[in-house]
Amino acid sequence: MNQLSEKTDPDLRDPIRYIRFFLVRNFGSILTILALLLIIFASDSLRTVFFRPSNLVFVLRQLSIYLLVSCGLTFVILSGGIDISVGSTLSFAAMTAAVTVGTRGHPLGLGILLGLTAGIAVGALNGVLISWMTIPPFIVTIATFSIFRGAAFLLSNGASVRVSVDGWDWLGKATLFGIPVCFFAALLIYVPAWILLNKTTFGKHIYAIGENPQAADFSGINVSKVRRIAYLLSGFSAGMAGVIAASRLSSVVPTSGYDYEIDALAAIVIGGTSIRGGSGRLSGTFFGCVIITVLASALMILTINSYWRFVIKGVVILVGVAIEFYRYRRKSGRAAALN
């Protein structure tokens, strides 16, 4: 089993040891967040705007979307796969919910349910094509990326969909004790996902498959089934993100999920999850999402050209992958020396 799996976690009944272990394991991400905050504090204008209550609420709302999309995608990447279609899944789910409620006039609950179902359907399709037809994950999810991005446009005929039903914006805009409701909703997905990955047999199977699928198969693990569930989780979490993203807007557009696959991948890589699979953690993904959200907010406050934001995201991903590759080579070198 991978060294970052549940077996290496200290007992939660020893909080001091666990906190120390948590801080050491996430040292890089925590240091990056502190560096970003130091930069924000160093600028009077940036500090003033960033720490306004309204901006902090906005940051938490954006963090909720990143966390949901990245949470499910982490399972896929840990299992040795990739899902390029999460942004399109978000768009498709958001537009499904908006059309159901705003255009067709169906109840709000049905719109939310169909939005989630749309996300699950995309995840199920990806899982079936990859596990049963043995088509490479990159090819399958590139195809579904295009299919469901187009489906989002077809649902609305390429136009925005206005939703004026009472309660539509509650999930996306309401706050509880000053904290956005959508952030609590994201935690309701994240916490069970963390438990599933770190405290169950399924989580151990995810790591085992990502580390060596052939060995996992020989040991009796149903590799196809585990991978299907991983893609199902990715579709569900992206669908939930789509419903929340749609509820933040009174007029939903088919491009609402644009670029989220890049942001989610950046957050996961920054969080220390290996793109090779078998190594990583959801706590790292959480910190990666915080870094991406804080960075995006700071760039927006500073009115940095949006084109530069794409460049910065690309550099962040490249640096993260380079660090992961360096760690992999060092680990491989140590293993070879021991042998």
Side-chain angles (χ1 to χ4, degrees), residues 89-156:
T89 303
L90 190 156
S91 297
F92 181 57
M95 193 52 65
T96 298
V99 168
T100 300
V101 178
T103 304
R104 305 292 172 82
H106 292 301
L108 178 61
L110 180 61
I112 294 174
L113 179 61
L114 290 180
L116 291 174
T117 302
I120 293 171
V122 178
L125 178 62
N126 284 334
V128 167
L129 291 175
I130 291 166
S131 63
W132 286 353
M133 300 183 67
T134 63
I135 304 175
F138 184 79
I139 301 299
V140 169
T141 57
I142 279 287
T144 52
F145 164 87
S146 180
I147 291 169
F148 290 100
R149 179 59 55 85
F153 279 92
L154 288 171
L155 281 173
S156 63

Side-chain angles (χ1 to χ4, degrees), residues 1-5 73-82 137 197 203-213 227 230-231 265 268-269 272-281 321 324-325 327-328 331-332:
M1 186 60 57
N2 188 277
Q3 62 177 345
L4 291 176
S5 65
L73 183 57
T74 300
F75 279 84
V76 170
I77 292 179
L78 283 174
S79 68
I82 188 67
L197 184 63
K204 295 177 183 178
H205 290 174
I206 285 284
Y207 281 106
I209 291 170
E211 191 169 347
N212 191 327
R227 282 179 171 166
Y231 279 96
L265 182 60
I268 292 169
V269 170
T273 295
S274 170
I275 58 173
R276 301 171 187 274
S279 174
R281 56 206 181 274
V321 171
E324 186 274 319
F325 184 72
R327 288 175 177 172
Y328 175 80
K331 181 180 176 182
S332 299

Side-chain angles (χ1 to χ4, degrees), residues 33-213:
I33 294 172
L34 292 175
L36 286 172
L37 291 176
L38 182 62
I39 293 172
I40 291 171
F41 274 108
S43 170
D44 291 336
S45 58
L46 183 57
R47 180 178 69 251
T48 301
V49 177
F50 184 86
F51 288 103
R52 284 177 183 170
S54 58
N55 186 66
L56 291 178
V57 169
F58 173 82
V59 167
L60 285 177
R61 284 175 178 151
Q62 196 61 35
L63 174 61
S64 303
I65 305 297
Y66 286 145
L67 186 58
L68 283 168
V69 176
S70 303
C71 184
L73 183 57
T74 300
F75 279 84
V76 170
I77 292 179
L78 283 174
S79 68
I82 188 67
D83 188 355
I84 307 297
S85 68
V86 287
S88 296
T89 303
L90 190 156
S91 297
F92 181 57
M95 193 52 65
T96 298
V99 168
T100 300
V101 178
T103 304
R104 305 292 172 82
H106 292 301
L108 178 61
L110 180 61
I112 294 174
L113 179 61
L114 290 180
L116 291 174
T117 302
I120 293 171
V122 178
L125 178 62
N126 284 334
V128 167
L129 291 175
I130 291 166
S131 63
W132 286 353
M133 300 183 67
T134 63
I135 304 175
F138 184 79
I139 301 299
V140 169
T141 57
I142 279 287
T144 52
F145 164 87
S146 180
I147 291 169
F148 290 100
R149 179 59 55 85
F153 279 92
L154 288 171
L155 281 173
S156 63
N157 291 320
S160 60
V161 176
R162 184 168 182 79
V163 184
S164 55
V165 176
D166 290 340
W168 168 258
D169 60 354
W170 181 82
L171 188 59
K173 291 184 178 180
T175 58
L176 184 64
F177 307 116
I179 299 174
V181 170
C182 59
F183 183 69
F184 291 111
L187 290 180
L188 284 176
I189 303 298
Y190 175 82
V191 173
W194 185 92
I195 295 172
L196 181 66
L197 184 63
N198 292 281
K199 303 297 178 182
T200 68
T201 301
F202 174 78
K204 295 177 183 178
H205 290 174
I206 285 284
Y207 281 106
I209 291 170
E211 191 169 347
N212 191 327

